[in-house]
Amino acid sequence: MTTAADIMHPGAQWVPATETLDRVAQLMRELDVGALPVSDPTDPNERMCGIVTDRDIVIACVAAGHDPARVTAGDLCKGTPRWISADADVGQVLREMESNQIRRLPVIDGNKRLVGIISEADLAHHLSDDQLAQFVESVYA
């Protein structure tokens, strides 16, 4: 059985909700990623409070006329954060991403620690053409 841990990109990194978007964008560039999970620094367990994407920064901050040096990652986190357990099977991963129409899914271990992220590219390497077509149709519908 293929699990989330088998297909994820390991070594994902958090940014605190208090981090400014200019720094988040710099970190994305350094790590060559388009999204970073956001942790709540007021929570002693630093639980995820959302995810910020490069598109979020452009659309919700820059294009809206806001200064990315004054807007924080936490300002963009809305709704319930989605994640998946590292031992979830690929079917569960697909259902979670399709039902929530998301393209990146943080992966946590049994201790609720971030261990990776599953992206569309990761799915493309591990799914059949039919599974991938179904995913794309569901997420982009």
Side-chain angles (χ1 to χ4, degrees):
M1 170 181 77
T2 303
T3 66
D6 297 327
I7 62 175
M8 72 181 187
H9 181 82
Q13 187 170 332
W14 295 98
V15 293
T18 55
E19 191 68 74
T20 59
L21 294 182
D22 60 339
R23 180 62 191 131
V24 172
Q26 292 165 1
L27 189 56
M28 286 178 178
R29 181 188 63 217
E30 290 168 16
L31 298 172
D32 193 28
V33 298
L36 289 168
V38 179
S39 67
D40 180 355
T42 64
D43 183 326
N45 297 316
E46 290 191 322
R47 293 185 191 218
M48 185 172 64
C49 62
I51 190 166
V52 67
T53 68
D54 48 6
R55 185 174 193 282
D56 294 334
I57 294 170
V58 170
I59 302 297
C61 180
V62 176
H66 302 294
D67 180 356
R70 295 181 186 266
V71 178
T72 67
D75 292 335
L76 297 187
C77 292
K78 307 220 180 343
T80 304
R82 310 307 306 180
W83 51 268
I84 195 95
S85 172
D87 61 0
D89 68 44
V90 76
Q92 292 170 297
V93 169
L94 288 172
R95 281 189 296 281
E96 183 69 21
M97 293 176 82
E98 289 172 357
S99 66
N100 292 289
Q101 292 189 305
I102 55 177
R103 297 181 289 164
R104 297 171 182 102
L105 185 62
V107 180
I108 62 165
D109 68 10
N111 294 320
K112 306 265 187 210
R113 290 179 308 194
L114 179 71
V115 293
I117 291 186
I118 297 173
S119 70
E120 293 169 303
D122 298 319
L123 291 176
H125 294 351
H126 292 89
L127 298 179
S128 69
D129 289 345
D130 289 341
Q131 287 175 308
L132 191 56
Q134 168 75 33
F135 170 77
V136 168
E137 185 177 320
S138 296
V139 170
Y140 289 96

